[in-house]
Amino acid sequence: MILIVIGLAVVIMTGLAVMKFKGTRMVQAPRVNKIPVETAQVKMGPISADLTYTGTVVSNNDSVISAKIMGRITSLPVKEGDRVKKGDILAVIDDSEYKGKVNTLRQRVNTAELNYKFLDQQLGKYEQLFQAQAISEQNYLQYKLQRDVAASQLEEAKFALREVEVALENTYIKAPFDGVVNSLQSQLGDMAVAGKPILILSDTSKLKAQVRVTETDLEMIKENMEVVLISPLLPQSLKSKVAKIFPSAEPQTHTTIVEIPIPGAMLKPGTSVDVSFLTGNKEKTLVVPTGAVEETKSGAYVYVVKDGKAVKRSVKTGIKGDNLVEIIEGVTAGEEIITSNLSKVTDGKEVYVFRREGGDK
């Protein structure tokens, strides 16, 4: 037993000594003074910048569709969002009263027409008798007056018939143009009154996007500026231009409405569309990765690698894209600049480039 205990003690002491030795080696590992960094080359290339907002599709012409006569709505075959063609029926007003009046007035017109024709023929005979001095002028004029009264009664009957026929036609409310039903203002069974809205129809032949732009970005947006419109409802993006910038801002949100025409797009009013304002574009200029540029109150700068050291270089920037920044002055094409670990890099500090742009190590 004594030998076993002594053997275990020796094993434990040996293990502790090894662990202490290893720990000492880890603590005393030599330190590297060079800052590990990634780099990229200053290149000539294209760059573009944009501001992206989400706008709302609206119509150039929203027409309030209402009844011209009073009556109960007996049919409302459309719903919100439906596309309609010019002449399509949007609503039907109860026409039973007008159909009955039309039948009555048509009979009245027929009777008045027969009466007029008979008196007109008789007047021809009386005129011959008057010319032959077989009747007096007074008798002739009395017959002529009867014929003229019949003519007037016929016109009155025709006029009354036309009025009721128009009213009957107005019981069928039709689309005045191709469009989309924007909103329903009445329901089936409601009483339609002249001038009371039944629905709002939006003209889809000319659509536009309205975007609310913040006051900080508004100074970068100009009329006729190129824009790109993107929507999941479109097969591809569309190009357009800023058509109008509203003169006043909304006081609560401090935003201003900007309008952009949507060329030939089959979109529905009220849907959303992404609008990218192209604020800058160059086909060939000096560009560097966005992460390589440090912006301060005193200006912008980058770190150029020279002889294994970081050299601070003031630069003047131009267009700022998503991943690239244009450098107008301060560096030249081909120079190697630091793109990572900038918070630890200082002017003149030795650096170790462990990865270059493109994956080189």
Side-chain angles (χ1 to χ4, degrees):
M1 289 296 292
I2 293 173
L3 292 175
I4 292 173
V5 171
I6 292 172
L8 289 173
V10 170
V11 172
I12 292 171
M13 292 299 292
T14 302
L16 291 174
V18 171
M19 291 178 65
K20 184 176 180 181
F21 176 74
K22 289 184 176 180
T24 302
R25 287 185 62 186
M26 291 178 65
V27 172
Q28 294 179 352
R31 295 191 307 170
V32 178
N33 292 324
K34 294 183 179 181
I35 305 297
V37 296
E38 298 176 79
T39 62
Q41 279 191 339
V42 180
K43 295 180 179 180
M44 295 291 293
I47 188 173
S48 61
D50 57 42
L51 288 171
T52 301
Y53 279 84
T54 299
T56 302
V57 178
V58 297
S59 169
N60 274 343
N61 178 26
D62 286 339
S63 180
V64 177
I65 307 299
S66 59
K68 296 181 179 180
I69 59 173
M70 180 181 292
R72 195 165 301 279
I73 300 174
T74 58
S75 177
L76 197 60
V78 295
K79 60 182 183 298
E80 293 179 353
D82 282 355
R83 290 187 180 275
V84 297
K85 296 290 185 180
K86 181 179 180 180
D88 286 352
I89 294 177
L90 304 177
V92 179
I93 309 298
D94 183 13
D95 60 357
S96 57
E97 176 185 352
Y98 300 103
K99 284 183 176 179
K101 287 183 178 180
V102 165
N103 292 332
T104 300
L105 288 172
R106 282 176 180 169
Q107 292 177 0
R108 179 181 166 186
V109 168
N110 290 336
T111 301
E113 194 167 21
L114 290 173
N115 185 47
Y116 167 75
K117 287 181 178 179
F118 172 76
L119 292 176
D120 189 55
Q121 290 174 355
Q122 290 296 105
L123 181 62
K125 295 179 181 179
Y126 286 121
E127 185 175 4
Q128 292 177 359
L129 292 174
F130 172 67
Q131 294 295 335
Q133 296 183 350
I135 60 173
S136 65
E137 182 179 4
Q138 183 178 1
N139 288 336
Y140 169 72
L141 292 177
Q142 285 179 347
Y143 287 120
K144 186 175 183 300
L145 177 61
Q146 290 178 5
R147 195 281 311 268
D148 291 343
V149 170
S152 178
Q153 289 174 343
L154 176 59
E155 288 302 316
E156 288 179 1
K158 288 181 176 180
F159 181 78
L161 176 60
R162 282 196 296 269
E163 277 192 324
V164 177
E165 285 177 337
V166 170
L168 180 61
E169 185 178 347
N170 286 336
T171 60
Y172 296 89
I173 301 173
K174 300 178 181 179
F177 49 77
D178 295 353
V180 170
V181 178
N182 195 321
S183 65
L184 292 176
Q185 305 293 308
S186 298
Q187 297 179 351
L188 186 66
D190 286 353
M191 181 63 69
V193 180
K196 178 184 176 182
I198 294 178
L199 57 86
I200 296 176
L201 186 65
S202 296
D203 184 359
T204 55
S205 63
K206 293 182 180 179
L207 297 177
K208 58 189 176 184
Q210 285 191 340
V211 182
R212 290 190 173 273
V213 178
T214 61
E215 56 188 10
T216 55
D217 291 338
L218 190 63
E219 62 181 10
M220 292 185 284
I221 296 176
K222 310 295 180 184
E223 289 188 358
N224 294 319
M225 173 184 286
E226 290 188 356
V227 300
V228 176
L229 305 171
I230 301 174
S231 169
L233 302 176
L234 295 174
Q236 60 186 10
S237 61
L238 296 175
K239 291 184 178 180
S240 187
K241 292 185 178 181
V242 174
K244 180 180 179 181
I245 301 175
F246 279 42
S248 60
E250 207 283 322
Q252 294 182 343
T253 60
H254 303 290
T255 57
T256 299
I257 295 177
V258 177
E259 286 187 350
I260 303 98
I262 302 178
M266 293 302 291
L267 295 175
K268 291 183 178 181
T271 57
S272 63
V273 60
D274 290 334
V275 181
S276 293
F277 299 92
L278 302 182
T279 56
N281 181 58
K282 287 187 180 179
E283 293 298 326
K284 192 174 183 181
T285 186
L286 287 177
V287 292
V288 299
T290 303
V293 181
E294 289 285 299
E295 299 277 358
T296 65
K297 292 182 179 180
S298 59
Y301 63 89
V302 298
Y303 284 103
V304 178
V305 177
K306 290 288 185 181
D307 301 324
K309 294 182 179 181
V311 179
K312 188 175 182 179
R313 190 84 60 80
S314 295
V315 294
K316 182 178 180 182
T317 60
I319 298 173
K320 295 179 175 63
D322 292 335
N323 302 311
L324 297 174
V325 177
E326 178 191 18
I327 303 296
I328 297 175
E329 59 181 43
V331 293
T332 58
E335 288 191 295
E336 188 177 16
I337 58 172
I338 296 173
T339 60
S340 71
N341 224 2
L342 294 181
S343 61
K344 296 181 180 180
V345 177
T346 55
D347 190 25
K349 188 73 174 180
E350 289 187 340
V351 295
Y352 165 65
V353 180
F354 70 90
R355 182 180 288 111
R356 289 180 170 83
E357 185 182 38
D360 296 335
K361 295 184 179 180

